[in-house]
C-alpha cells in the first residue's frame, strides 16, 4: 500500500487540477457567453425597412417569443414573408417583409398568425384592419407628384383602407395661384403598415415609406393629459370653476381704439 | 490508403460477414438524415406539403406539431410562455428522445452530423493529429452560456448562430434567405473539425447535442456490449465511435454491466457495424444479459486479467 502522504499529495494535485480546470472552464464559458451576447446584441437591431408580420408582439417580446420556424412564412399565400438569413443584420431566422418588394395583402383570415405555434404573432388579432405592422410616412414631399400639383393619388387608391388610413387633403396651390393640391395624409391610428402604398408609389424611389411603429411615431410624456379628451371621458371638465379669461386676439392695427363706456359713447373720445 | 500498415476499421467485419453487415447502421442513419430532410423539402420543391417549418418547430400533415425543446427553453427563459401548440410539440419531442436516447437527434436527425462526419473522414484520410483537445465539459459551459444570454438578453440566443437551424433553414427556405451568410457558419464548423479539433464540434462544443444528451440521460434504448468476452481488443469500435470514452465502461469494467449508459452515446450503432466478433447490439437500458462468445479470441487472457 502506498504511504498516506503519497495519497495526500495525489489528492492535492487532483484538487489543484480540478480547480484549474474549473477556472479554465468558467473563463472559457465567460468568453463564449460574451461573444454570444455581443453577436446577439448586434443582430437584435432590426433594420428600418424590415417589417414584422401582422400581429407580431412588440419587437423585444417578439425576439424572445419567435422560435424562427418559418411556419408563418409558409402559410402566407402571397409569399410576402421571408426569414432573415444569417449575417443580414437582424435576428437570424426571424420573419419579416420589405414593403417595397412584396407588401402584405392583409388577408382576412390572417393565415400567418394562424400558423404561428408560439404566439409570437398574437392570435388576439382577429381583424386584419387592426394590424400595426408599421406606419406609412410621406416624407418625400419634394418629389411626391401630388405635392407637385399633379393627381397621381396612387398610394391613396391602393390603400386597403382608402379614405381612412390615407386621405387626400385639398389645399391651395400657391405656385399657380389657381389650382388645388391633393395632399396624401396618413392617419397613424388607422394605417396597418401593410406597405401597399410604398409598393405602388410611382416614383423610382418611393416618396411614401412604411416604417416600423417604433421609428415612425412619437410619444407624449406619460403625465400629459389632453384636456378635451378627459372632458369627453368624464362628461365635464376635470377641474371645475376655472375662470374663463377673455380671449385675446392680435392687437388691431392703426391707432388704439378708445374703450367703450357702459352708458354708450367712448371714454376720452376726441373727434 | 494513407496507412497501409493498419486495416480500416470495420474491414474485418466486412470481410467476414459482408458489406451490408459492416455498414447497415451507417447506411440507415444516412437514410434517416436524408429522409427527414426530404420530408421538409418535398413541400417547397414539389408543392407536396408533408412537413412545414424547420427543425426549430414544424407541423406535419397540418396536424402534428413538433418543437425543439432547447429552443423553447431559451424562449421561456427570455420571458415568453409559448402557446399550447408549441408546448405540445415540445412534449412530444421530449418523450421521443427520453425513450430513444437524446443524442439520437445527433446521429439520426441533425443535418450537421454528415458535415462533421465528413470532416472526420477527411481528417482520417489526411492522417492529421488530434489537434486541440478541448475539455469535454465545454459544451455544458456553452449550454449554460446560451441559457444565460437568453435570460439576460431576452432573446433565443443560440439561434443567432446555431449552425443546425441555419443550415436547415438555408436548405428549406433557400430562395427566401438568398444573400445569407449562413454558409460561412457551416464552413467554419467543417474547418473546425478538420483543422482545429478532432470530433471537436459535436463532441465538445455544440450545446444542442449537450442538451439532448441531458434529455436522454435515462433513455430506454441503449447500445449494449452484450458479448464483452468476445472482444479481441482490435479497437475498431474506438476508431469509429464519435465519443469513444463511452465504450470503455461497457466492455472493460464488466462489474458495471454491459450497457453503454453515457449520455454522450448517440446510439449511432457504428460500433455494432464494425465489430467483427459482434460484441454490440441495441438493447433496453435494463437488459444486462450477456452472452458467452462462440469464437473467444484471446478471451482466456482477458478473463484472467479481469
Ligand atoms: S396577412 Fe396575408 S399577406 Fe399579410 S403577411 Fe399575413 S398571410 Fe401574408
Ligand atoms: S410562425 Fe411564429 S414562431 Fe415561427 S417564425 Fe413565424 S413568428 Fe416566429
Ligand atoms: S401602409 Fe399604406 S396602404 Fe397600407 S394601410 Fe397604411 S397607408 Fe394604407
Ligand atoms: S404614389 Fe407616390 S407620388 Fe403618387 S401620390 Fe402617393 S406618394 Fe405621391
Ligand atoms: S452535437 Fe450538435 S451539431 Fe453535432 S450532431 Fe449533435 S446536435 Fe448536431
Amino acid at each position: 500500500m502506498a504511504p498516506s502522504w503519497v495519497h495526500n499529495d495525489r489528492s492535492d494535485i487532483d484538487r489543484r487540477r480540478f480547480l484549474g480546470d474549473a477556472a479554465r472552464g468558467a473563463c472559457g464559458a465567460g468568453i463564449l457567453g460574451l461573444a454570444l451576447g455581443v453577436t446577439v446584441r448586434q443582430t437584435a437591431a432590426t433594420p428600418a425597412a424590415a417589417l414584422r408580420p401582422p400581429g407580431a408582439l412588440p419587437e423585444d417580446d417578439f425576439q424572445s417569443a419567435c422560435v424562427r420556424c418559418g411556419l408563418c412564412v409558409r402559410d402566407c399565400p402571397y409569399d410576402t414573408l421571408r426569414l432573415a438569413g444569417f449575417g443580414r443584420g437582424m435576428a437570424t431566422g426571424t420573419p419579416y417583409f420589405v414593403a417595397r418588394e412584396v407588401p402584405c395583402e392583409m388577408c382576412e383570415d390572417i393565415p400567418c398568425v394562424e400558423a404561428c405555434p408560439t404566439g409570437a404573432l398574437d392570435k388576439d388579432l382577429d381583424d386584419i384592419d387592426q394590424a400595426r405592422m408599421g406606419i406609412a410616412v410621406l416624407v418625400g414631399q419634394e418629389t411626391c407628384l401630388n405635392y407637385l400639383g399633379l393627381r397621381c393619388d396612387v398610394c391613396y387608391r391602393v390603400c386597403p383602407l382608402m379614405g381612412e388610413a390615407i386621405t387626400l387633403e385639398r389645399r391651395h396651390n400657391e405656385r399657380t395661384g389657381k389650382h388645388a393640391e391633393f395632399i396624401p395624409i396618413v392617419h397613424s391610428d388607422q394605417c396597418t403598415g401593410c406597405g401597399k402604398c410604398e409598393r405602388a408609389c410611382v416614383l423610382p424611389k418611393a416618396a411614401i415609406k412604411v416604417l416600423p411603429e417604433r421609428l415612425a411615431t412619437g410619444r407624449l410624456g406619460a403625465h400629459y393629459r389632453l384636456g378635451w379628451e378627459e372632458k369627453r371621458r368624464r362628461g365635464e371638465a376635470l377641474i371645475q370653476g376655472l375662470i374663463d379669461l377673455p380671449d385675446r386676439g392680435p392687437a388691431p392695427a392703426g391707432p388704439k381704439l378708445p374703450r367703450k363706456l357702459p352708458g354708450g359713447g367712448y371714454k376720452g373720445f376726441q373727434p | 490508403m494513407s496507412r497501409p500498415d493498419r486495416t480500416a476499421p470495420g474491414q474485418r467485419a466486412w470481410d467476414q460477414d459482408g458489406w451490408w453487415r459492416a455498414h447497415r447502421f451507417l447506411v440507415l442513419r444516412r437514410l434517416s438524415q436524408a429522409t427527414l430532410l426530404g420530408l421538409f423539402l418535398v413541400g417547397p420543391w414539389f408543392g407536396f406539403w408533408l412537413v412545414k417549418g424547420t427543425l426549430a418547430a414544424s407541423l406535419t400533415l397540418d396536424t402534428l406539431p413538433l418543437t425543439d425543446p432547447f429552443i423553447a427553453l431559451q424562449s421561456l427563459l427570455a420571458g415568453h410562455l409559448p402557446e399550447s401548440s408549441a408546448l405540445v410539440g415540445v412534449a412530444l419531442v421530449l418523450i421521443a428522445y427520453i425513450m430513444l436516447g437524446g443524442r439520437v437527434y445527433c446521429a439520426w436527425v441533425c443535418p450537421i452530423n454528415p458535415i462533421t462526419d465528413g470532416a472526420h473522414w477527411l481528417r482520417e484520410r489526411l492522417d492529421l493529429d488530434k489537434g486541440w483537445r478541448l475539455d469535454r465539459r465545454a459544451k455544458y459551459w456553452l449550454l449554460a452560456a446560451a441559457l444565460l444570454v437568453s435570460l439576460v438578453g431576452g432573446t433565443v440566443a443560440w439561434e443567432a448562430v446555431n449552425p443546425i437551424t441555419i443550415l436547415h433553414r438555408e436548405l428549406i427556405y433557400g430562395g427566401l434567405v438568398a444573400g445569407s451568410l449562413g454558409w460561412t457558419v457551416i464552413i467554419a464548423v467543417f474547418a473546425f473539425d478538420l483543422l482545429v479539433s478532432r470530433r471537436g464540434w459535436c463532441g465538445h462544443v455544440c450545446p444542442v447535442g449537450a442538451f439532448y444528451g441531458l434529455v436522454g440521460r435515462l433513455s430506454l434504448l441503449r447500445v449494449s456490449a452484450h458479448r464483452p468476452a468476445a472482444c479481441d481488443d482490435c479497437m475498431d469500435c474506438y476508431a469509429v465511435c464519435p465519443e469513444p470514452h463511452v465504450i470503455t465502461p461497457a466492455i472493460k469494467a464488466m462489474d458495471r454491466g454491459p450497457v453503454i449508459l453515457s449520455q454522450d452515446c448517440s446510439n449511432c450503432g457504428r460500433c455494432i457495424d464494425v465489430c467483427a466478433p459482434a460484441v454490440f447490439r441495441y438493447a433496453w437500458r435494463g437488459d444486462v444479459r450477456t452472452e458467452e462468445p462462440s469464437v473467444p479470441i484471446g478471451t482466456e487472457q482477458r478473463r484472467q486479467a479481469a
Side-chain angles (χ1 to χ4, degrees):
Chain A
M1 221 189 96
S4 62
W5 59 267
V6 172
H7 179 76
N8 282 345
D9 210 32
R10 271 200 62 92
S11 74
D12 205 38
I13 290 171
D14 281 355
R15 187 163 55 232
R16 248 185 267 158
R17 203 165 86 198
F18 173 77
L19 288 176
D21 281 358
R24 240 181 310 153
C27 283
I31 292 167
L32 289 170
L34 206 65
L36 185 60
V38 169
T39 316
V40 165
R41 268 195 86 89
Q42 277 179 345
T43 58
T46 311
L51 303 171
R52 294 297 186 195
L57 300 175
E59 187 60 22
D60 283 352
D61 299 337
F62 183 77
Q63 296 216 0
S64 66
C66 171
V67 295
R68 290 82 163 137
C69 65
L71 284 170
C72 52
V73 175
R74 280 298 178 232
D75 279 9
C76 173
Y78 299 98
D79 288 342
T80 298
L81 303 175
R82 348 166 170 180
L83 293 179
F86 175 80
R88 298 307 306 270
M90 61 190 291
T92 315
T94 52
Y96 71 100
F97 70 97
V98 177
R100 187 67 167 165
E101 289 163 17
V102 192
C104 165
E105 296 290 335
M106 289 176 59
C107 314
E108 251 174 56
D109 49 348
I110 332 183
C112 49
V113 173
E114 197 52 45
C116 178
T118 59
L121 307 182
D122 194 347
K123 298 227 170 32
D124 286 347
L125 177 73
D126 48 12
D127 172 9
I128 190 67
D129 291 352
Q130 302 304 319
R132 291 294 174 268
M133 298 167 263
I135 307 232
V137 180
L138 205 172
V139 194
Q141 302 189 350
E142 296 73 20
T143 46
C144 166
L145 300 181
N146 275 27
Y147 269 88
L148 295 176
L150 283 84
R151 287 302 300 274
C152 161
D153 296 2
V154 166
C155 54
Y156 167 75
R157 296 205 178 277
V158 298
C159 177
L161 298 174
M162 176 171 75
E164 295 166 46
I166 305 193
T167 53
L168 293 179
E169 197 173 274
R170 199 168 65 171
R171 74 179 192 196
H172 182 59
N173 187 333
E174 298 289 349
R175 183 175 52 81
T176 63
K178 54 187 171 198
H179 300 99
E181 288 170 351
F182 290 83
I183 304 299
I185 302 284
V186 178
H187 301 275
S188 60
D189 55 339
Q190 302 283 328
C191 170
T192 64
C194 70
K196 295 200 71 158
C197 52
E198 181 179 339
R199 173 78 187 103
C201 178
V202 298
L203 304 181
K205 191 169 161 224
I208 189 165
K209 293 194 165 66
V210 180
L211 297 179
E213 200 173 4
R214 63 179 194 281
L215 298 180
T217 52
R219 188 172 66 224
L220 281 175
H223 59 291
Y224 276 50
R225 294 287 174 275
L226 302 178
W228 56 94
E229 291 284 342
E230 302 293 335
K231 190 169 173 181
R232 187 177 49 79
R233 211 171 298 154
R234 264 174 60 130
E236 56 178 0
L238 284 186
I239 302 169
Q240 298 295 331
L242 276 186
I243 312 155
D244 194 14
L245 294 171
D247 299 327
R248 276 192 215 140
K256 213 172 124 193
L257 276 180
R259 187 149 58 93
K260 202 173 180 184
L261 294 169
Y266 292 95
K267 188 181 179 188
F269 178 68
Q270 284 166 350
Chain B
M1 279 306 278
S2 55
R3 283 169 312 187
D5 52 324
R6 210 168 97 188
T7 48
Q11 186 64 47
R12 222 154 43 99
W14 180 356
D15 293 343
Q16 184 184 306
D17 297 319
W19 187 88
W20 171 246
R21 148 77 170 80
H23 294 90
R24 56 203 155 141
F25 290 115
L26 181 63
V27 171
L28 289 175
R29 222 153 56 73
R30 296 284 178 251
L31 274 178
S32 159
Q33 289 160 344
T35 309
L36 286 168
L37 190 59
L39 288 175
F40 282 95
L41 282 173
V42 288
W45 284 4
F46 307 110
F48 187 61
W49 293 99
L50 294 169
V51 187
K52 284 180 186 166
T54 61
L55 285 175
S58 63
L59 190 65
T60 302
L61 296 173
D62 281 328
T63 43
L64 174 75
L66 294 173
T67 312
D68 184 293
F70 180 48
I71 295 177
L73 176 62
Q74 292 174 79
S75 174
L76 193 67
L77 287 175
H80 178 79
L81 178 66
E83 269 177 16
S84 56
S85 164
L87 292 178
V88 169
V90 167
L92 293 174
V93 171
L94 279 180
I95 290 170
Y97 286 118
I98 286 172
M99 308 267 283
L100 295 175
R103 295 203 69 197
V104 158
Y105 179 82
C106 295
W108 298 79
V109 180
C110 179
I112 290 292
N113 173 277
I115 299 209
T116 54
D117 275 359
H120 178 71
W121 177 83
L122 192 58
R123 173 177 259 282
E124 295 293 290
R125 287 298 295 259
L126 300 175
D127 215 3
L128 302 175
D129 65 14
K130 282 202 166 126
W132 184 24
R133 299 188 64 181
L134 280 134
D135 191 319
R136 204 156 273 289
R137 285 166 300 186
K139 57 188 176 195
Y140 297 108
W141 288 110
L142 198 54
L143 173 61
L147 295 178
L148 191 70
V149 175
S150 297
L151 182 72
V152 176
T155 182
V156 184
W158 188 248
E159 282 313 285
V161 292
N162 187 358
I164 305 167
T165 43
I166 287 176
L167 174 62
H168 202 240
R169 204 180 290 122
E170 304 270 299
L171 290 171
I172 292 166
Y173 288 83
L176 298 173
V177 288
S180 160
L181 300 175
W183 52 272
T184 56
V185 183
I186 313 307
I187 290 178
V189 168
F190 184 84
F192 180 74
D193 266 26
L194 179 64
L195 304 170
V196 181
S197 175
R198 178 181 188 268
R199 297 270 193 207
W201 182 263
C202 294
H204 301 84
V205 179
C206 176
V208 181
F211 176 86
Y212 276 109
L214 291 172
V215 167
R217 259 184 92 86
L218 301 176
S219 76
L220 298 180
L221 182 66
R222 299 273 54 168
V223 170
S224 167
H226 76 303
R227 282 150 46 90
C231 169
D232 55 10
D233 290 324
C234 72
M235 306 299 274
D236 277 7
C237 55
Y238 284 89
V240 295
C241 181
E243 307 273 358
H245 62 281
V246 308
I247 296 180
T248 315
I251 58 174
K252 300 294 177 202
M254 288 173 219
D255 52 319
R256 288 205 238 158
V259 181
I260 294 177
L261 292 172
S262 168
Q263 69 208 40
D264 286 342
C265 169
S266 61
N267 280 355
C268 71
R270 192 75 185 112
C271 52
I272 310 180
D273 279 348
V274 298
C275 180
V279 169
F280 302 95
R281 66 163 184 196
Y282 284 115
W284 297 107
R285 180 182 199 86
D287 187 357
V288 292
R289 282 174 301 161
T290 51
E291 256 177 48
E292 285 306 307
S294 45
V295 204
I297 312 164
T299 315
E300 278 315 306
Q301 296 92 305
R302 282 172 43 76
R303 279 237 182 92
Q304 278 151 23

